[in-house]
Amino acid sequence: QVQLVESGGGLVQAGGSLRLSCAASGIIFRLYAMGWYRQVPGEQRELVATISSLGNTRYADSVKGRFTISRDNAKNTVYLQMNSLKAEDTAVYYCNVQSIAYWGKGTLVTVSS
């Protein structure tokens, strides 16, 4: 079975940093593109960043230059380094296996102004 477990969320002041982690199991991790998404209550879940099996990355315009997605295939883990955080980054952040549409349960990031 596929399992994704997000961690690293919390409360941070504006301008600060957090690193989110997503540990995957039940898949041959290195073969899959991974993504980070976020959602605010009442709004649609939005793409934050993706990373392909080859390490190619894409970012939402709202986070470009501030966030970095990376992966460690030896640890079956994908990361999201978030710098220069803004209040509008507050959301639940979800990990996703792109091609088979599996999701984690999310980790809450709250940015105080």
Side-chain angles (χ1 to χ4, degrees):
Q1 64 182 295
V2 179
Q3 291 184 248
L4 301 173
V5 180
E6 299 98 333
S7 62
L11 176 63
V12 64
Q13 293 187 44
S17 297
L18 286 173
R19 189 175 77 155
L20 306 184
S21 298
C22 173
S25 61
I27 58 171
I28 305 174
F29 180 80
R30 65 180 177 85
L31 300 180
Y32 290 90
M34 302 293 295
W36 284 98
Y37 295 72
R38 66 187 182 187
Q39 189 170 31
V40 176
E43 298 185 6
Q44 187 175 1
R45 188 173 298 185
E46 67 172 343
L47 173 70
V48 175
T50 61
I51 184 165
S52 77
S53 61
L54 298 178
N56 304 121
T57 59
R58 302 180 75 95
Y59 299 92
D61 288 342
S62 59
V63 307
K64 196 171 299 180
R66 299 188 297 121
F67 291 10
T68 302
I69 188 171
S70 61
R71 66 192 298 156
D72 186 339
N73 290 338
K75 296 181 179 179
N76 286 1
T77 300
V78 61
Y79 304 96
L80 185 68
Q81 178 67 46
M82 304 184 294
N83 298 326
S84 302
L85 282 161
K86 305 174 180 179
E88 51 262 45
D89 294 318
T90 297
V92 177
Y93 285 72
Y94 296 90
C95 181
N96 163 256
V97 183
Q98 295 279 275
S99 61
I100 59 174
Y102 275 88
W103 297 85
K105 292 185 176 182
T107 185
L108 177 64
V109 172
T110 303
V111 184
S112 62
S113 60

